[in-house]
Amino acid sequence: MRELKFRAWYHKGTYCKEPKMYWFDLMWGNTSQQGSGWIGMLPIGETRKYRMMSDNRKQIDPYDCEIMQYTGLKDKNGVAIYERDILQWHEDVSDFHDRIICGTVEFVRGRYILSPRGYYGSLVKVWLDAVIIGNVFENPELL
């Protein structure tokens, strides 16, 4: 069974001063009252620090962010691949020539695919040779 991890691009809402990538764990539950709808999230790179009756999570409304799930795969460099990541890999065209292809990771009809930019196919076919070069929110110029 693969690990269930999530990250979120927090980009709108009353308390969003600047767009930022966060991560969260479903086991954390809500940070305030049960059923309030707020999720405790941490900026990418930070770890959860417990304090007496609280911790360093930020309360974020899930409707103010784009949530992305971990695919269960890692790229050539061992970095976890999430939905909306932009991958780059080489495809052999002939014995003397190959081409560089980029694609965005999407979840469609029960499987992870790479689309568009010259390729539309299964993530499973290329993930061992692929490298994450960014994501659609922080690096839109790569699309």
Side-chain angles (χ1 to χ4, degrees):
M1 184 186 224
R2 73 180 172 86
E3 185 177 12
L4 289 177
K5 297 190 314 187
F6 296 87
R7 71 178 185 194
W9 177 247
Y10 180 46
H11 61 92
K12 62 183 177 180
T14 309
Y15 304 104
C16 181
K17 300 205 179 359
E18 66 179 67
K20 195 172 192 178
M21 193 69 77
Y22 287 84
W23 72 276
F24 65 97
D25 187 332
L26 286 181
M27 299 307 290
W28 289 352
N30 295 334
T31 55
S32 54
Q33 304 172 292
Q34 188 67 20
S36 69
W38 295 83
I39 300 173
M41 297 185 190
L42 290 173
I44 295 288
E46 286 188 27
T47 56
R48 187 173 180 192
K49 297 179 184 99
Y50 293 94
R51 298 183 198 118
M52 183 87 106
M53 302 294 287
S54 70
D55 56 29
N56 62 330
R57 294 178 295 170
K58 180 178 176 105
Q59 292 184 12
I60 295 177
D61 186 340
Y63 292 105
D64 291 338
C65 57
E66 301 288 330
I67 296 176
M68 296 155 278
Q69 187 171 1
Y70 173 49
T71 63
L73 304 172
K74 295 186 178 184
D75 74 354
K76 185 164 74 172
N77 299 326
V79 179
I81 300 173
Y82 285 82
E83 289 177 276
R84 311 271 178 88
D85 277 343
I86 302 170
L87 301 183
Q88 176 180 310
W89 67 97
H90 295 270
E91 182 178 78
D92 292 331
V93 177
S94 68
D95 290 339
F96 304 106
H97 181 65
D98 65 345
R99 64 181 177 164
I100 297 173
I101 301 177
C102 295
T104 305
V105 178
E106 312 244 346
F107 189 74
V108 177
R109 296 187 192 138
R111 66 183 180 133
Y112 289 102
I113 63 161
L114 291 159
S115 67
R117 190 84 192 257
Y119 184 86
Y120 185 82
S122 175
L123 172 63
V124 176
K125 292 179 181 177
V126 300
W127 69 274
L128 283 173
D129 299 321
V131 176
I132 297 171
I133 58 171
N135 65 63
V136 297
F137 303 109
E138 294 173 312
N139 313 98
E141 71 278 0
L142 297 174
L143 295 175

